[in-house]
Amino acid sequence: MHINSVKLIYFSPTKTTERIVKCIARGIRIDTDTLIDLTPPEVKTRDFEELHDELVIMGVPVYGGRVPPEAAKRLRRIRGNGAAAVIVVVYGNRAYEDALLELRDLAVEQGFKPIAGAAFIGEHSYSSKTMPIATGRPDTLDLEKAKIFGELIRKKIKDIRMPYEMSPVHVPGTFPYRKWNPPSDISLVTDQSRCTLSGICADVCPMAAITVNDTVLTDRRKCIMCSACVKNCPSGARTWEDPWIKRITKWVSRKSKERKEPEMFL
Ligand SMILES: Cc1cc2nc3c(=O)[nH]c(=O)nc-3n(C[C@H](O)[C@H](O)[C@H](O)COP(=O)(O)O)c2cc1C
């Protein structure tokens, strides 16, 4: 199979997915001509050009064992036109459950040919000093594996003679997918005594849910609980004080003590 270029398409509020897909691309060693970052809020209305003869690396984080609904919505704006795709999910060392299968099915629905898939591990969005979960991941070992995965994809592409006759890569997961219904009214707190009104929280929010004037206001109905504002706040003023998040974080931290390793499907 002949590939002209590699395109990276990802949704990545806290950047672990972005780091993994970029590293996979380095392993493939074909020019990466475009990054389609689906994270900023303005993507919601952007038009995307048609894809042709490209290899796409499509990455999303795992939320509740699923593809985050907002990421799925944004991916549905892009048509594959038969382009080969590598599907990647990044999870916080608990479990990825049906996310990879859901991403594969979504890719097929959008006209892509998923030829390979993988689940990698990233620092959990709710990890903190007091409740660390997969801190510092992806680490050197993970990134090394991402590069090897890229090299294996490169070999696979060379061997593919009839891409249109290939069936989609087999990945774990079950359909109907796992149900995930997070509460819709979670409270994020800004400690006004620490806040410097830098506006960084508003800049990194994928949902444009934060407004900063002489105080920080968060539209709870828009928030997808991604933690981008918490992780990027330079003064540590943004914190989760919500009982649901605290309970989940404690549970995940208990369930995720053992280090999980990346899984690859080719
Ligand atoms: C709302 C929400 C739900 C999550 N659910 C899971 C999960 O089911 N399993 C898991 O292992 N990690 C889960 N995580 C952790 C993320 O998958 C993980 O931190 C990932 O690396 C974040 O990707 P990003 O850095 O590209 O945003 C969840 C994170 C959030 C914000």
Side-chain angles (χ1 to χ4, degrees):
M1 184 166 87
H2 180 72
I3 297 284
N4 284 328
S5 64
V6 177
K7 265 196 167 64
L8 309 185
I9 303 179
Y10 53 86
F11 179 79
S12 185
T14 61
K15 308 274 185 221
T16 58
T17 307
E18 179 178 327
R19 289 179 63 204
I20 297 283
V21 295
K22 284 184 173 169
C23 204
I24 295 171
R26 280 199 288 280
I28 299 176
R29 285 189 286 131
I30 300 175
D31 281 349
T32 302
D33 65 356
T34 319
L35 306 180
I36 303 183
D37 183 356
L38 296 177
T39 322
E42 52 278 12
V43 164
K44 283 180 174 192
T45 50
R46 196 179 129 188
D47 289 324
F48 295 98
E49 71 273 26
E50 303 259 309
L51 301 175
H52 296 284
D53 293 335
E54 279 138 332
L55 174 69
V56 164
I57 307 180
M58 193 183 279
V60 297
V62 174
Y63 285 6
R66 300 281 306 271
V67 173
E70 189 60 34
K73 214 172 177 186
R74 295 180 190 193
L75 281 169
R76 285 205 171 89
R77 298 182 64 81
I78 305 173
R79 295 289 315 166
N81 296 314
V86 174
I87 45 160
V88 180
V89 295
V90 179
Y91 69 105
N93 204 51
R94 184 189 68 79
Y96 60 95
E97 284 140 337
D98 300 329
L100 192 56
L101 179 68
E102 186 181 3
L103 183 61
R104 188 205 64 177
D105 295 348
L106 195 154
V108 171
E109 209 180 290
Q110 290 306 106
F112 291 93
K113 277 266 168 200
I115 60 162
F120 277 83
I121 296 89
E123 175 167 319
H124 201 288
S125 320
Y126 302 144
S127 175
S128 63
K129 277 201 186 101
T130 49
M131 206 73 83
I133 312 167
T135 310
R137 296 187 75 181
D139 56 17
T140 318
L141 266 176
D142 293 315
L143 295 176
E144 191 53 41
K145 284 188 181 163
K147 208 162 152 224
I148 291 171
F149 181 48
E151 284 161 12
L152 294 172
I153 294 164
R154 184 183 169 86
K155 270 198 206 122
K156 179 160 185 174
I157 293 168
K158 268 194 187 156
D159 293 343
I160 296 174
R161 297 275 165 261
M162 314 255 226
Y164 300 106
E165 288 181 6
M166 273 183 69
S167 35
V169 64
H170 185 77
V171 295
T174 47
F175 183 83
Y177 313 124
R178 176 177 203 266
K179 288 219 175 345
W180 186 59
N181 298 312
S184 55
D185 202 15
I186 292 286
S187 78
L188 251 167
V189 171
T190 304
D191 179 346
Q192 301 294 348
S193 68
R194 286 176 148 192
C195 178
T196 58
L197 299 174
S198 69
I200 292 173
C201 53
D203 292 345
V204 298
C205 176
M207 303 304 293
I210 305 173
T211 320
V212 181
N213 290 312
D214 48 1
T215 180
V216 177
L217 292 175
T218 310
D219 185 339
R220 288 192 195 187
R221 290 160 310 165
K222 285 188 183 168
C223 175
I224 56 166
M225 305 182 295
C226 70
S227 264
C229 58
V230 175
K231 294 219 172 194
N232 285 288
C233 176
S235 54
R238 292 282 280 184
T239 51
W240 290 110
E241 294 302 335
D242 191 274
W244 185 83
I245 297 274
K246 284 191 165 175
R247 212 172 42 247
I248 287 280
T249 309
K250 211 166 165 187
W251 174 72
V252 173
S253 154
R254 226 178 330 111
K255 284 204 77 138
S256 321
K257 290 265 180 279
E258 204 174 299
R259 180 186 170 97
K260 306 244 167 45
E261 294 300 337
E263 291 172 58
M264 304 167 202
F265 307 93
L266 284 137

